[in-house]
């Protein structure tokens, strides 16, 4: 929506003066300007008005001088846009600056010399300089008065442009021999309340007869020039001729009734009549100039012509990009069509030179949308991912249609803020750890580690051992440091009771809601040689020696008995070996080191005693632990 509202205010009002209330004009509710993020955007660099978004009052921000702002242009309008976001509405505001009578009529000079030949015909007219009054309408000049005299009266005429021309009209012939000089007072009176006046003294010098006036070749000259021409560039040349001879035919050119601003922009060669550029011609300030040229001969007679100079626009102003609203930090889960920035583009040139096209870089998740009055929205068009791109430096480029094309850029930075959209991720799909049995409580087994691609609290990982589904005692075996992921044994473990177990460790982040992932940790218990061998036969618990019978007819290699032992450890720690430590007759018996079989080494003879006593040593293969078994053998007599 783009509607227009109009207000008016007198010039010269002080700062804070109430112009109007936009709430009433737009029929908006109290507070709606604030909730919809209202902005007052001035068309130009100076902000003459400010908007109270709480009350809706449109106030003067700086004192306004209508004449400095608009000169003689009427109406004098200051343009602004009232921009309402959420939803977007744009209203054009036109504020007419009303004139007050704050300027006094002023003549170009305090004194003017007019040379008039004697014997001038009755009713001959002599143009006089008009006074300048920067006010408008009734506040501008309404009338002129001439001081009383017997030779001249004042005549006021309207020209084609409805402007006044004033003339001295001869009512009584001059006689230089009687009156050589006259002093008249011309008064300009405006229509303000109270009225203001300005005066100029007219000094009339009565000359000898010069009966031909300078005559221009044209009554009006026209020229077209481009703005920004260098100083000294020829604009146009005027030319007047005089049929008189001698000094009465020598012509000097001068500006007539020309405001000071024009006199500062153009130079008139009084000898040649050439008009050239003297100051900076700026189409954006003034598009045309009208001036009057006076040709004066040596006898004081004058001729006049008008000059109209049209200025052509050059593409000398690049587009201006003004940021109205900007979200400098954008959440990565922001929905599509989120408005990131609102800005306007303005080019003070005219025609194609003022037309602009606006763009941003390709391959961005943002897109430009044009609205009314050269306003643009930068909106989100695709999802964001802070873990891929943390910020965007966006260059807004505005190009006009002039020749050559002018470009301006504006850089904006948009930070992407994190949301908790990433779960912690373990470095391994699973973990295998080992610990020797008989460990001390609190022993460090190993560590798990998970990373989270988010930031700050969303990336802060904590660890927890989950209760086992099948064995609720697992959590009594092991714990994990919630911050470091270090895993510790809570108590001493016994390989003979549990060979290993697995636990589930959960990594959770600090986001809201929290995200987590789990990993399986397999704990293997390593056996140590912490169990002594145990004799099953003969039974170790029997404190008396084991008695066996050996036939007297036994030959060498006879199997007397077999010793059997077990070890609760595993692997090499459970390998057993047997050794005959002592015997009544060491030459009679032997024992198998691996199988524990007790055999005769030779045949019995008559010298062998009837009772033989053996001490058998049993120990692990890789250990220094030793166990003794006493055995007694009886040989029948």
């Amino acid at each position: 929506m783009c509607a227009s509202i109009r207000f008016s205010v007198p010039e010269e009002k002080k700062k804070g003066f109430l112009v109007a209330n936009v709430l009433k004009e737009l029929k908006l509710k109290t507070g709606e300007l604030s909730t919809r993020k209202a902005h007052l955007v001035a068309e130009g660099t100076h902000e003459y008005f400010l908007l109270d978004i709480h009350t809706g009052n449109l106030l003067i921000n700086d004192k306004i001088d209508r004449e400095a702002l608009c000169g003689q242009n009427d109406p004098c309008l200051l343009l602004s846009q009232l921009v309402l976001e959420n939803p977007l509405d744009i209203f054009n505001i036109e504020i007419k600056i009303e004139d007050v009578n704050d300027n006094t009529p002023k003549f170009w000079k305090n004194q003017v010399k007019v040379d008039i030949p004697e014997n001038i015909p009755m009713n001959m007219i002599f143009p006089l300089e008009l006074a300048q009054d920067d006010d408008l309408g009734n506040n501008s000049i309404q009338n002129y008065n001439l001081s009383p005299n017997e030779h001249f009266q004042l005549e006021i005429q309207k020209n084609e442009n409805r402007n006044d021309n004033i003339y001295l009209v001869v009512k009584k012939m001059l006689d230089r021999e009687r009156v050589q000089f006259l002093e008249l007072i011309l008064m300009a009176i405006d229509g303000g309340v109270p009225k203001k006046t300005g005066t100029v003294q007219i000094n009339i010098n009565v000359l000898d007869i010069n009966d031909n006036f300078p005559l221009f070749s044209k009554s009006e000259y026209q020229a077209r020039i481009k703005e920004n021409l260098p100083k000294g560039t020829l604009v146009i040349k005027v030319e007047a001729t005089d049929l008189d001879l001698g000094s009465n035919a020598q012509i000097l050119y001068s500006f007539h009734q020309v405001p000071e601003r024009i006199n500062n922009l153009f130079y008139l060669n009084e000898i040649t009549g050439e008009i050239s550029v003297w100051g900076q011609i700026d189409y954006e300030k003034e598009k045309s100039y009208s001036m009057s040229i006076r040709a004066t001969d040596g006898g004081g007679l004058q001729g006049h012509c008008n000059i109209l100079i049209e200025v052509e626009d050059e593409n000398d102003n690049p587009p201006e990009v003004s940021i109205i609203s900007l979200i400098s930090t954008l959440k990565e889960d922001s929905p599509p069509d989120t408005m990131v920035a609102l800005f306007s583009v303005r080019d003070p040139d005219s025609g194609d030179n003022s037309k602009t096209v606006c763009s941003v870089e390709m391959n961005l998740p943002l897109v430009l949308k044009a609205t009314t009055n050269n306003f643009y929205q930068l909106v989100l068009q695709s999802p964001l991912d802070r873990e891929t791109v943390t910020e965007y430096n966006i260059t807004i480029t505005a190009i006009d249609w002039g020749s050559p094309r002018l470009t301006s850029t504006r850089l904006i930075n948009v930070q992407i803020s994190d949301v908790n959209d990433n779960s912690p991720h373990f470095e391994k799909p699973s973990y295998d750890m080992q610990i020797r049995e008989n460990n001390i409580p609190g022993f460090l087994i190993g560590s798990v580690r998970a990373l989270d691609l988010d930031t700050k609290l969303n990336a802060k990982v904590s660890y927890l051992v989950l209760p086992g589904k099948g064995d609720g005692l697992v959590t009594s075996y092991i714990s994990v440091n919630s911050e470091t992921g270090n895993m510790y044994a809570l108590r001493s473990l016994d390989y003979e009771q549990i060979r290993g177990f697995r636990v589930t460790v959960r990594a959770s982040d600090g986001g809201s809601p929290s995200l987590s992932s789990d990993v399986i940790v397999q704990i293997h218990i390593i056996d140590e040689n912490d169990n002594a061998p145990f004799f099953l036969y003969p039974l170790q618990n029997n404190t008396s020696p084991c008695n066996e019978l050996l036939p007297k007819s036994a030959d060498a290699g006879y199997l007397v008995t077999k010793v059997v032992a077990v070890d609760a450890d595993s692997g090499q720690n459970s390998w057993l070996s047997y050794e005959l430590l002592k015997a009544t007759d060491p030459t009679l018996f032997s024992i198998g080191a691996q199988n524990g079989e007790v055999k005769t080494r030779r045949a019995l003879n008559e010298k062998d005693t009837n009772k033989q006593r053996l001490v058998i040593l049993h120990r692990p293969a890789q250990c220094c632990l030793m166990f003794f078994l006493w055995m007694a053998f009886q040989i029948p007599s």
Side-chain angles (χ1 to χ4, degrees):
M1 176 180 180
C2 187
S4 296
I5 52 178
R6 297 175 175 85
F7 305 111
S8 63
V9 64
E11 65 172 329
E12 303 297 333
K13 290 298 182 181
K14 294 181 179 179
K15 181 176 181 180
F17 180 82
L18 176 63
V19 178
N21 187 281
V22 298
L23 285 177
K24 296 180 180 178
E25 184 68 23
L26 298 178
K27 298 180 180 180
L28 299 175
K29 297 179 180 180
T30 301
E32 191 171 350
L33 292 178
S34 176
T35 59
R36 293 182 63 183
K37 297 182 180 180
H39 302 276
L40 188 64
V41 182
E43 186 166 311
T45 58
H46 197 89
E47 296 181 355
Y48 287 100
F49 304 95
L50 60 85
L51 176 65
D52 188 334
I53 61 174
H54 301 291
T55 64
N57 288 338
L58 185 63
L59 307 173
I60 288 181
N61 188 43
D62 197 4
K63 187 177 180 180
I64 302 173
D65 185 349
R66 189 203 64 80
E67 289 74 31
L69 188 63
C70 297
Q72 293 299 304
N73 293 329
D74 189 36
C76 180
L77 300 177
L78 285 177
L79 305 179
S80 300
Q81 281 98 25
L82 177 61
V83 180
L84 301 180
E85 300 180 24
N86 305 324
L88 179 65
D89 280 327
I90 301 174
F91 300 92
N92 290 328
I93 300 179
E94 295 182 1
I95 302 178
K96 180 181 179 182
I97 308 304
E98 298 175 346
D99 183 58
V100 298
N101 191 28
D102 59 338
N103 291 281
T104 301
K106 184 184 297 184
F107 289 90
W108 181 247
K109 298 179 181 179
N110 294 327
Q111 294 186 4
V112 176
K113 179 181 178 182
V114 180
D115 295 327
I116 300 178
E118 64 179 343
N119 298 326
I120 194 78
M122 295 288 290
N123 295 322
M124 182 63 68
I125 61 175
F126 294 89
L128 295 176
E129 176 192 13
L130 289 170
Q132 299 293 323
D133 191 333
D134 290 336
D135 295 321
L136 295 176
N138 289 333
N139 292 329
S140 65
I141 297 172
Q142 301 296 312
N143 200 8
Y144 291 87
N145 285 337
L146 186 67
S147 59
N149 70 94
E150 61 179 340
H151 292 282
F152 299 92
Q153 71 178 28
L154 192 66
E155 182 174 327
I156 303 175
Q157 297 180 359
K158 296 286 186 182
N159 60 21
E160 295 178 351
N161 297 325
R162 298 182 176 274
N163 294 322
D164 290 336
N165 288 329
I166 57 175
Y167 304 94
L168 277 178
V169 182
V170 178
K171 290 302 180 183
K172 181 179 179 179
M173 293 187 65
L174 296 170
D175 184 353
R176 185 178 181 280
E177 284 67 37
R178 293 180 60 186
V179 179
Q180 296 184 9
F181 300 97
L182 286 173
E183 291 183 358
L184 304 178
I185 300 298
L186 176 63
M187 178 182 292
I189 308 166
D190 69 18
V193 179
K195 297 181 183 297
K196 295 184 178 182
T197 62
T199 61
V200 61
Q201 180 175 310
I202 303 174
N203 298 321
I204 298 177
N205 181 31
V206 182
L207 305 175
D208 284 338
I209 294 176
N210 177 24
D211 56 352
N212 287 287
F213 290 84
L215 182 65
F216 282 94
S217 59
K218 297 179 182 180
S219 60
E220 183 176 85
Y221 292 81
Q222 294 183 352
R224 292 183 68 85
I225 61 173
K226 294 183 180 295
E227 64 174 328
N228 303 319
L229 288 176
K231 184 176 181 179
T233 301
L234 179 65
V235 177
I236 197 171
K237 180 179 180 180
V238 297
E239 186 175 6
T241 58
D242 195 308
L243 298 178
D244 291 322
L245 298 176
S247 63
N248 288 333
Q250 293 178 355
I251 296 175
L252 295 178
Y253 301 95
S254 61
F255 286 122
H256 178 60
Q257 299 184 8
V258 172
E260 184 177 1
R261 73 182 191 284
I262 295 181
N263 196 51
N264 292 332
L265 292 175
F266 299 97
Y267 170 75
L268 172 60
N269 188 310
E270 66 176 3
I271 304 299
T272 65
E274 293 178 341
I275 299 175
S276 57
V277 174
W278 188 253
Q280 181 71 30
I281 306 299
D282 189 351
Y283 175 87
E284 285 70 46
K285 289 185 177 180
E286 206 156 357
K287 298 174 176 58
S288 64
Y289 300 93
S290 178
M291 61 192 77
S292 177
I293 304 298
R294 176 171 55 197
T296 305
D297 64 20
L301 297 183
Q302 300 175 350
H304 298 80
C305 74
N306 292 322
I307 294 180
L308 178 63
I309 299 175
E310 298 285 342
V311 181
E312 296 180 0
D313 182 46
E314 287 280 290
N315 192 29
D316 59 344
N317 291 282
E320 300 170 358
V321 179
S322 300
I323 304 298
I324 308 301
S325 177
L326 173 64
I327 300 177
S328 58
T329 301
L330 191 64
K331 286 189 175 181
E332 63 175 319
D333 62 347
S334 297
D337 292 330
T338 298
M339 187 174 73
V340 178
L342 175 67
F343 61 92
S344 64
V345 179
R346 177 181 175 272
D347 194 314
D349 292 319
S350 64
D352 286 345
N353 295 334
S354 67
K355 294 178 180 179
T356 59
V357 60
C358 194
S359 64
V360 295
E361 307 100 301
M362 301 292 289
N363 302 321
L364 288 176
L366 305 164
V367 67
L368 277 183
K369 288 186 178 181
T371 62
T372 56
N373 283 20
N374 288 329
F375 277 79
Y376 292 86
Q377 290 176 301
L378 186 64
V379 299
L380 185 64
Q381 69 169 349
S382 59
L384 299 171
D385 185 6
R386 187 209 63 82
E387 288 70 43
T388 303
V389 180
T390 59
E391 67 175 346
Y392 291 93
N393 289 308
I394 305 163
T395 301
I396 301 171
T397 303
I399 306 175
D400 64 24
W401 288 14
S403 180
R405 289 194 167 192
L406 298 181
T407 302
S408 64
T409 59
R410 185 73 181 267
L411 180 66
I412 61 175
N413 176 267
V414 178
Q415 299 283 333
I416 308 303
S417 64
D418 184 51
V419 296
N420 193 27
D421 57 349
N422 287 281
S423 300
H425 179 73
F426 282 95
E427 292 180 334
K428 297 180 181 180
S430 63
Y431 289 84
D432 279 296
M433 300 180 186
Q434 295 180 342
I435 183 173
R436 291 186 177 275
E437 66 173 328
N438 303 316
N439 59 284
I440 60 173
F443 183 81
L444 174 64
I445 303 175
S447 297
V448 296
R449 187 166 183 260
L451 300 177
D452 195 308
L453 296 178
D454 294 317
T455 61
K456 297 181 180 178
L457 194 60
N458 294 334
K460 186 177 182 180
V461 178
S462 60
Y463 303 92
L464 172 69
V465 174
L466 299 181
K469 294 182 179 179
D471 187 358
L473 297 178
V474 168
T475 53
S476 67
Y477 295 156
I478 197 167
S479 69
V480 64
N481 187 300
S482 62
E483 294 184 357
T484 65
N486 290 340
M487 302 189 69
Y488 300 93
L490 292 176
R491 62 183 184 178
S492 181
L493 301 174
D494 187 354
Y495 175 85
E496 285 69 45
Q497 292 183 1
I498 182 169
R499 301 293 178 90
F501 56 89
R502 69 177 186 175
V503 295
T504 301
V505 177
R506 173 165 293 172
S508 303
D509 61 27
S512 180
S514 178
L515 301 179
S516 64
S517 62
D518 298 341
V519 71
I520 299 297
V521 180
Q522 186 73 42
I523 308 296
H524 301 278
I525 312 300
I526 300 175
D527 181 50
E528 287 194 339
N529 192 24
D530 59 345
N531 288 281
F534 182 81
F535 284 101
L536 296 177
Y537 181 84
L539 187 62
Q540 184 175 322
N541 291 337
N542 192 354
T543 58
S544 61
C546 176
N547 291 311
E548 294 288 347
L549 290 176
L550 177 62
K552 197 169 183 179
S553 59
D555 293 328
Y558 179 83
L559 177 62
V560 180
T561 187
K562 184 175 181 177
V563 178
V564 179
V566 296
D567 194 310
D569 294 319
S570 64
Q572 291 183 352
N573 293 331
S574 65
W575 296 354
L576 303 178
S577 65
Y578 304 90
E579 181 182 346
L580 185 59
L581 184 63
K582 290 182 181 182
T584 303
D585 185 352
T587 65
L588 182 57
F589 296 96
S590 67
I591 188 167
Q594 302 300 324
N595 55 25
E597 293 180 348
V598 179
K599 295 181 179 181
T600 57
R601 299 180 66 182
R602 59 178 175 81
L604 297 174
N605 57 43
E606 304 228 354
K607 294 180 180 180
D608 294 323
T609 61
N610 289 338
K611 289 186 179 181
Q612 297 286 329
R613 193 171 196 180
L614 305 181
V615 177
I616 298 172
L617 170 65
H618 174 236
R619 57 184 173 186
Q622 300 292 328
C623 185
C624 62
L625 294 178
M626 294 182 295
F627 304 91
F628 300 94
L629 179 64
W630 297 82
M631 298 185 69
F633 294 90
Q634 186 173 359
I635 301 173
S637 53

